[in-house]
Amino acid sequence: FWGGWDRDVPLIRAASMDGSNVTTLTTRPGSWPTDITIDYQSGRVVWLDARHKVVFSMTEQGADIKIIVGTRFMRYPAAISVWHGYTYWVDWHLNFVFVAEGSNSYDVTRLIPGS
């Protein structure tokens, strides 16, 4: 899985491990996908959108796109991870690691200040 920031058509793509079978999963005009991860528990692709300041998720086939975290605590989300039902991300402008519980959470906790 990888994302592209093309000005006109930002996208998220998938491919087989040998680079074959490239598939475009989603194109969201005006989006800035900054990082992508897999939630193996739910089987969903999860990504940060720095422009809309939200965390999106979708199936591995690109269907059922939904916002799973949207918050005022995002200014420039840069890195994401999902672990046991928690979504963690780093924000470059706020200089903190944040966490949200669940798949549709607006309850966000600041964890670690950056240096």
Side-chain angles (χ1 to χ4, degrees):
F1 298 93
W2 71 95
W5 275 29
D6 181 284
R7 178 176 288 215
D8 298 321
V9 186
L11 49 81
I12 294 177
R13 288 187 166 164
S16 299
M17 291 299 288
D18 66 359
S20 65
N21 301 317
V22 175
T23 305
T24 299
L25 299 178
T26 184
T27 59
R28 298 188 63 84
S31 294
W32 294 343
T34 54
D35 197 20
I36 302 169
T37 191
I38 305 297
D39 179 351
Y40 290 101
Q41 212 169 5
S42 69
R44 296 181 68 85
V45 177
V46 180
W47 76 96
L48 292 167
D49 185 317
R51 183 167 199 184
H52 295 107
K53 296 166 180 51
V54 296
V55 178
F56 284 106
S57 79
M58 67 182 161
T59 67
E60 291 182 8
Q61 295 75 36
D64 190 30
I65 296 172
K66 54 177 99 171
I67 295 173
I68 60 170
V69 179
T71 175
R72 69 180 192 275
F73 292 107
M74 284 190 197
R75 294 282 163 26
Y76 197 93
I80 190 167
S81 184
V82 176
W83 182 252
H84 291 283
Y86 291 88
T87 302
Y88 299 85
W89 70 93
V90 174
D91 193 291
W92 284 347
H93 287 187
L94 298 176
N95 210 25
F96 273 90
V97 175
F98 294 89
V99 62
E101 182 179 2
S103 63
N104 189 10
S105 178
Y106 290 83
D107 184 20
V108 174
T109 303
R110 263 188 325 195
L111 292 180
I112 303 168
S115 53

